[in-house]
Amino acid sequence: MILHIAKKEIKETLRSGQFKWILGITVLLSLVAIFISQEQWESKSIQREISEDKERELWLAQGSVNPHNAGHYGTYAFKPQFPLSMIDPGVEKFTGISIFLESHNKNEADNVAATDQTGLSRFGDLTPEFVLLFIVPLMIMALGHRAITGEKERGTIRIIQTQGVSNQQLIIGKWLANYIPVVLITSIIFLLASIVIHKFDWTLLATMWAVYLVYFAVINSLTIIISSLVKTSGTSLVILLSIWIVNCLVVPKLVSSYTNQEYPYPTKQELAALISEDKKEGIDGHAPWSDASKKLEEETLKAYNVNKLEELPFNFDALRMQKGEEHSAKIYAKHYDNLKAINQNQTKVYQRLAFLSPFLPTRFTSMTLAGTDYNTHWNFADQAEKHRVEMQRILNGDFAENSKLGDWGYQAEASLLEEVPEFQFKGTGYKETIYAARTNLLILSAWLLLSTGLMFFVSNRI
C-alpha cells in the first residue's frame, strides 16, 4: 500500500507544471554551479602548480649564498587544493592558500580570496554546496507543502482512510514520493561532480552524498509534519518558508555571532604585541649584547672548556641565531596554541547549539569531508611552521659548521639549498576525517531520528 501511494504521488508530481519548473531551475543552477566551480578549481590548481614550481626555482636560483641570507630570502608553502573542495569550498576564501617561510618570523597565511571580492560576495557564491544546502531544501518544501493539506482541502483524506489506509501508511507513502525525486537530483549532482573532479576519494564523496541525503530526509520529514498539522496549503507553505529562513539564515548567523562574542580571537595587532613582548625575554639571534645571549655565551664556553668564542670549533654567531630560532618557535607555538584553543572552544559551542538547526552539522561535516574546514587550515599552518623550523636548522647548521666567528661573508655551496626539501602537506586519512566529524554526524543522526519519530507521532492528529 505504501509503495502504491508513493507511485501514485510521484506520477502526479511528474505531471505537474510546478515540479517541472522547480526541477528545471534546480538542475540549471546545479549545472551552472558545477561548471563555475570546476573552472575556478582548475584555474586555482594550475596557479598553485605554477607558483610551487616557480618558487622552488627561485629558491634554488640563489646559488652560492650565505645561509642566513637564504633564510631571510625565504620561500613559500602552498596549501594543496583538495578535490572535493570543488563541491564545498568551505572557509578557503577566508584562510589563505600560502605562507611565507623566513628566518625569525612565523607569518600568517596570505592570498586570501575574500579580500579581493566585492560586497556582493556576502550573498554567497554559486557552488554545488550552496545549491545542496539552500536550494534543494526549498525544493523539498515547495513540492511537499501540500502532501497532506492537499488531501484535506480536496476532502479526500477520509475517503483514503475508509479504503483501509492507515495514517502511518499515508505519511510514509507521501514522504517517499517527495523524497525519491530529491535522491535522484542529488545523485545526479554528485555524479556530474565526480565526472569533472580529478583523483578524488570515492569513500569521501560517497559519505558526503549520504550526509546530504540525511539532511534532506530531515527537511522532508519536517515538511510532512507541518503539512499534517495545518489545514491549508498556504499556511503550510508560509510556515515552511519561515523554517527555511530560520534553519539556513537566522540560526547560523546568530550562532556565529554568539560564538565570536563568547570566544573572540585577538586582533592581529594584539597578537603581534603579545609575541613581541615574549620574544624580549629570550635570546635574539641578532642581539649579541642581550642578557640571554651573554648567558648562552658563558654556557657554551664552559661546555667546550675554552676562553674565547674564536676557539670554539664552530661559528658561535650561527649557534646564537639557531637558539634564537628555537626560542621564537616556542613563543609562536605558545600563542598559536592559544588561537587553536579558541577555535576548539568555538567548535564546542557550535556543536552544543547544532540542535537548533540541521543546517549546522551538515555544513560542518561537509567542510570536514572536503578538507576545507578550519581544522585542516590549522593542520596546514602547523606543518608549514615545522617546515620553516627545519629549514632554519639546516641553514644555521651549515653556517655554524663551515664558517668562523664574524665570517658573515661566508658563502655556502649551492647544493645546501637542495637539502631544504620542498614543502609537502600531509592530509588526514578517511578514518581520521570521520573521527573529526563524529560529533556533527551524531547530531545530524539525532535530527533524523527526532524528525522521523515526530512525523509518526503527528500522524495520529491527521
Side-chain angles (χ1 to χ4, degrees):
M1 184 61 70
I2 293 175
L3 293 179
H4 180 73
I5 294 173
K7 184 178 179 180
K8 167 186 170 294
E9 292 296 325
I10 291 175
K11 285 183 177 179
E12 291 184 358
T13 299
L14 293 176
R15 293 194 194 105
S16 69
Q18 180 190 41
F19 173 75
K20 293 176 182 178
W21 274 103
I22 294 175
L23 177 64
I25 293 172
T26 304
V27 171
L28 179 61
L29 286 175
S30 300
L31 291 174
V32 173
I34 291 173
F35 174 76
I36 293 175
S37 297
Q38 193 267 343
E39 288 292 320
Q40 292 178 344
W41 193 93
E42 290 283 356
S43 175
K44 291 177 183 178
S45 294
I46 293 173
Q47 291 176 13
R48 275 178 170 85
E49 292 176 4
I50 294 175
S51 298
E52 286 176 347
D53 294 341
K54 188 64 177 179
E55 193 60 33
R56 185 63 178 177
E57 181 182 330
L58 291 173
W59 171 257
L60 297 177
Q62 295 178 84
S64 179
V65 66
N66 179 273
H68 189 62
N69 290 342
H72 278 292
Y73 183 82
T75 188
Y76 279 90
F78 292 91
K79 185 197 299 182
Q81 188 168 227
F82 298 99
L84 295 188
S85 65
M86 200 208 79
I87 295 177
D88 189 347
V91 297
E92 277 203 331
K93 71 176 183 179
F94 303 104
T95 55
I97 61 173
S98 63
I99 297 178
F100 183 58
L101 311 179
E102 62 174 335
S103 298
H104 312 311
N105 297 314
K106 172 182 170 66
N107 296 304
E108 298 282 350
D110 202 357
N111 294 314
V112 180
T115 59
D116 298 326
Q117 293 185 323
T118 65
L120 292 175
S121 62
R122 71 183 62 185
F123 297 103
D125 298 323
L126 183 56
T127 62
E129 161 263 340
F130 177 83
V131 174
L132 292 167
L133 280 174
F134 294 91
I135 304 303
V136 175
L138 268 180
M139 184 190 77
I140 294 172
M141 294 175 177
L143 293 177
H145 74 282
R146 298 185 59 189
I148 304 299
T149 56
E151 303 292 350
K152 295 178 183 179
E153 290 172 332
R154 291 191 297 268
T156 55
I157 186 72
R158 294 193 179 278
I159 297 176
I160 294 174
Q161 292 171 338
T162 57
Q163 293 178 341
V165 178
S166 66
N167 290 346
Q168 288 78 16
Q169 289 176 326
L170 177 63
I171 275 188
I172 295 174
K174 295 282 189 176
W175 189 93
L176 286 175
N178 206 45
Y179 187 62
I180 290 175
V182 175
V183 173
L184 294 176
I185 292 174
T186 306
S187 301
I188 291 173
I189 293 175
F190 274 86
L191 180 61
L192 292 174
S194 69
I195 294 175
V196 298
I197 297 176
H198 303 290
K199 299 179 181 179
F200 62 91
D201 188 332
W202 275 103
T203 54
L204 287 174
L205 184 69
T207 304
M208 184 182 289
W209 171 77
V211 166
Y212 278 108
L213 287 184
V214 172
Y215 173 56
F216 299 149
V218 173
I219 299 299
N220 195 40
S221 296
L222 294 176
T223 300
I224 299 300
I225 288 170
I226 298 302
S227 185
S228 300
L229 291 176
V230 301
K231 296 181 179 180
T232 64
S233 299
T235 304
S236 174
L237 183 59
V238 170
I239 294 175
L240 287 171
L241 288 177
S242 301
I243 290 176
W244 179 85
I245 293 172
V246 172
N247 171 67
C248 297
L249 303 177
V250 177
V251 170
K253 181 61 177 178
L254 290 177
V255 170
S256 177
S257 300
Y258 173 76
T259 303
N260 290 327
Q261 182 178 359
E262 287 294 304
Y263 296 100
Y265 284 104
T267 65
K268 192 173 183 178
Q269 292 76 15
E270 291 172 343
L271 179 62
L274 291 171
I275 292 174
S276 178
E277 188 64 28
D278 282 353
K279 278 186 174 183
K280 294 178 181 178
E281 300 178 1
I283 190 169
D284 184 342
H286 287 293
W289 53 84
S290 66
D291 293 338
S293 294
K294 290 299 183 182
K295 182 179 179 181
L296 175 65
E297 180 180 326
E298 293 173 2
E299 293 175 349
T300 305
L301 290 174
K302 184 177 179 180
Y304 283 86
N305 195 26
V306 295
N307 297 320
K308 296 187 300 182
L309 295 177
E310 290 81 359
E311 296 175 2
L312 291 171
F314 54 84
N315 187 339
F316 181 76
D317 288 334
L319 174 65
R320 184 176 58 244
M321 286 189 296
Q322 179 57 28
K323 292 299 182 180
E325 290 289 348
E326 293 172 1
H327 169 69
S328 63
K330 291 179 181 178
I331 299 301
Y332 283 119
K334 167 189 170 183
H335 288 281
Y336 278 84
D337 283 345
N338 291 338
L339 294 181
K340 285 189 285 186
I342 294 174
N343 177 65
Q344 291 173 357
N345 288 330
Q346 288 189 348
T347 300
K348 291 178 182 178
V349 173
Y350 277 120
Q351 291 172 348
R352 288 200 301 268
L353 298 179
F355 70 91
L356 295 174
S357 167
F359 176 95
L360 293 176
T362 305
R363 182 76 177 94
F364 292 130
T365 302
S366 178
M367 288 193 299
T368 300
L369 294 172
T372 56
D373 58 337
Y374 279 111
N375 288 332
T376 301
H377 178 71
W378 283 116
N379 189 19
F380 163 66
D382 288 344
Q383 291 187 33
E385 175 63 4
K386 289 180 180 178
H387 187 82
R388 185 189 74 85
V389 171
E390 177 63 14
M391 179 176 74
Q392 300 308 316
R393 186 194 66 79
I394 293 173
L395 296 175
N396 287 326
D398 179 88
F399 196 13
E401 293 176 7
N402 301 300
S403 66
K404 296 180 180 181
L405 184 70
D407 186 12
W408 289 95
Y410 165 71
Q411 300 285 308
E413 296 290 337
S415 58
L416 172 64
L417 301 176
E418 296 180 358
E419 294 181 21
V420 177
E422 293 186 66
F423 175 77
Q424 297 291 335
F425 178 77
K426 295 180 181 178
T428 57
Y430 179 76
K431 291 183 178 180
E432 292 83 359
T433 301
I434 295 300
Y435 184 78
R438 65 192 184 283
T439 302
N440 288 313
L441 288 171
L442 288 173
I443 295 173
L444 187 59
S445 300
W447 263 102
L448 178 64
L449 293 175
L450 179 64
S451 60
T452 303
L454 187 59
M455 184 177 66
F456 282 106
F457 175 77
V458 301
S459 65
N460 297 319
R461 298 174 60 87
I462 297 179

